[in-house]
């Protein structure tokens, strides 16, 4: 018997902790954004080894809208019978409920596993006359600095707002409807700084000044961390697997075992290498603690930015 089928058998045994008669062969995985987007792309690669480890059919349902909160609400409202999970990123779980009225909160989910954590970089135009992060601090403490984002409350906004506050910058926030428009604005000199992942760094004529991570990124060894510049700031775009509140411990453990197998699969590693996505697995307890602390930190930044009271 192969290790894969041994794991599959262990997962199925764990899932028998559910009310067996209600468990379907097909598991629905809700993705809260449209097909072809960043979250959907990763979810579809994750789904295949995850389904193989579970020995169940997994069907992805794209339930987009309202910055991901419609899909997240569908996961929170689902029956806790082990037939519905959600592949959700940071936004609809740990940011948007603080910005808008939602039908769910942190207590309405079961936390299964974290799958990715991709650090973000502080970017400037490659044509800018500045060389280091310190150059922008010197300007921003005496004159204004304009930074863009892909929308209020997004990670690019929160990370830059936290940096501006820590550095005492006279910063002006200029939000855009997506990263593409912000990159056009940077190319035209409308904004000075932007924060985003390595995917944006590679696809545009920009230079990275620092990374919001505890350590330098292996693929970019010459880019210093924010801490090296004197700012203890870490931000990443993360994703994970959630269920509705009330899943049994046996069900969560079964899903978590399958999640770990998927995260460690060759297919997931290949995707990570091609898209500069950071792989990070955390099981149920560690993931829940991480999400709750991340949410708390985001609320404080949103308050400092004047977006919430």
């Amino acid at each position: 018997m192969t290790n894969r089928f041994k794991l599959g058998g262990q997962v199925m045994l764990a899932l028998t902790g559910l009310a067996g008669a209600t468990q379907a062969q097909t598991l629905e995985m809700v993705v809260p954004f449209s097909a072809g987007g960043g979250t959907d792309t990763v979810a579809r690669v994750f789904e295949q080894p995850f389904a193989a480890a579970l020995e169940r059919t997994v069907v992805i349902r794209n339930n987009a809208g309202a910055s991901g909160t419609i899909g997240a609400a569908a996961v929170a409202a689902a029956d806790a019978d082990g037939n519905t999970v959600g592949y959700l990123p940071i936004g609809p779980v740990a940011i948007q409920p603080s910005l808008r009225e939602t039908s769910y909160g942190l207590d309405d989910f079961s936390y299964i596993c974290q799958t990715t954590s991709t650090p973000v970089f502080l970017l400037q135009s490659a044509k800018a006359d500045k060389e280091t992060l310190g150059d922008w601090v010197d300007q921003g403490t005496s004159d204004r600095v304009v930074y863009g984002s892909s929308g209020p409350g997004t990670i690019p906004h929160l990370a830059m707002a936290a940096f501006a506050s820590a550095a005492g910058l006279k910063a002006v926030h200029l939000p855009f409807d997506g990263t593409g428009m912000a990159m056009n604005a940077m190319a035209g000199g409308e904004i000075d700084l932007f924060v985003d992942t390595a995917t944006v760094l590679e696809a545009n004529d920009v230079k990275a000044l620092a990374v919001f991570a505890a350590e330098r990124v292996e693929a970019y060894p010459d880019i210093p961390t924010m801490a090296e510049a004197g700012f203890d700031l870490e931000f990443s775009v993360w994703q994970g697997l959630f269920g509705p509140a009330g899943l049994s411990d046996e069900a969560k453990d079964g899903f978590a075992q399958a999640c770990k197998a998927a995260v460690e699969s060759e297919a997931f590693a290949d995707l990570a290498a091609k898209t500069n996505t950071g792989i990070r697995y955390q099981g149920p307890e560690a993931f829940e603690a991480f999400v709750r602390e991340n949410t708390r930190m985001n609320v404080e930044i949103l308050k400092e930015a004047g977006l919430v009271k």
Side-chain angles (χ1 to χ4, degrees), residues 1-2 19 24 26 32-33 46 51 78 89 137 146 153 167 181 196 207 220 233-234 286 292 307:
M1 183 181 291
T2 66
T26 298
F33 295 99
F46 171 83
V137 172
V146 181
M181 294 181 67
D196 217 310
K207 173 185 176 180
Y220 302 96
L233 299 171
E234 294 180 33
R292 290 184 181 277
L307 294 177

Side-chain angles (χ1 to χ4, degrees), residues 65-81:
S67 299
T69 58
I70 291 176
V75 176
D79 292 335
D81 56 7

Side-chain angles (χ1 to χ4, degrees), residues 158-177:
L158 294 188
M160 189 60 216
F163 167 55
S165 176
L169 304 183
K170 298 176 181 179
V172 177
H173 174 219
L174 191 58
F176 293 88
D177 188 16

Side-chain angles (χ1 to χ4, degrees), residues 4 12 32 72 75 78 82 88 93 117 122 158-159 173 179 183 203 212 218 231 247-248 254 305-306:
R4 194 191 88 179
M12 290 303 292
V75 176
L88 311 178
V93 177
S117 181
L122 179 63
L158 294 188
H173 174 219
T179 299
M183 288 296 95
F212 288 81
E218 184 177 352
F231 304 101
L247 281 182
S248 68

Side-chain angles (χ1 to χ4, degrees), residues 2-259:
T2 66
N3 288 335
R4 194 191 88 179
F5 288 110
K6 284 181 180 177
L7 177 59
Q10 292 169 357
V11 171
M12 290 303 292
L13 284 173
L15 289 174
T16 57
L18 299 166
T22 65
Q23 184 185 325
Q25 174 58 28
T26 298
L27 172 67
E28 183 176 75
M29 182 185 293
V30 176
V31 175
F33 295 99
S34 58
T39 301
D40 178 75
T41 298
V42 179
R44 289 181 186 276
V45 175
F46 171 83
E47 171 266 324
Q48 297 176 34
F50 179 68
L54 282 178
E55 295 185 354
R56 291 178 72 181
T57 300
V58 177
V59 175
I60 289 179
R61 175 165 66 93
N62 295 97
N63 197 349
S67 299
T69 58
I70 291 176
V75 176
D79 292 335
D81 56 7
N83 294 325
T84 303
V85 293
Y87 192 86
L88 311 178
I90 178 175
V93 177
I95 299 175
Q96 290 301 324
S98 299
L99 290 173
R100 64 176 72 209
E101 187 76 25
T102 59
S103 62
Y104 62 88
L106 295 180
D107 292 337
D108 295 307
F109 294 109
S110 290
Y111 297 79
I112 297 170
C113 68
Q114 182 177 359
T115 59
T116 69
S117 181
T118 305
V120 292
F121 295 80
L122 179 63
L123 307 174
Q124 69 170 27
S125 169
K127 299 175 182 178
D129 60 358
K130 303 291 190 295
E131 293 295 327
T132 68
L133 180 117
D135 292 335
W136 286 110
V137 172
D138 290 342
Q139 174 173 318
T141 51
S142 58
D143 198 358
R144 77 170 191 168
V145 170
V146 181
Y147 70 91
S149 77
S150 51
T154 59
I155 283 296
H157 180 202
L158 294 188
M160 189 60 216
F163 167 55
S165 176
L169 304 183
K170 298 176 181 179
V172 177
H173 174 219
L174 191 58
F176 293 88
D177 188 16
T179 299
M181 294 181 67
M183 288 296 95
N184 289 336
M186 177 169 277
E190 193 175 352
I191 60 174
D192 300 311
L193 298 172
F194 193 75
V195 172
D196 217 310
T197 63
T199 301
V200 174
L201 168 61
E202 294 292 343
N204 296 274
D205 190 22
V206 295
K207 173 185 176 180
L209 299 171
V211 61
F212 288 81
E215 299 177 348
R216 294 195 181 198
V217 177
E218 184 177 352
Y220 302 96
D222 296 330
I223 299 176
T225 66
M226 291 295 291
E228 289 177 65
F231 304 101
D232 187 18
L233 299 171
E234 294 180 33
F235 286 90
S236 66
V237 177
W238 54 258
Q239 300 168 335
L241 196 67
F242 296 78
L247 281 182
S248 68
D249 290 340
E250 292 85 357
K252 283 196 294 184
D253 289 344
F255 284 137
Q257 288 178 46
C259 179

Side-chain angles (χ1 to χ4, degrees), residues 45 49 261-274 279:
V45 175
V263 169
E264 294 176 350
S265 70
E266 184 176 345
F268 208 66
D270 287 345
L271 173 76
K274 291 176 182 176
I279 295 176

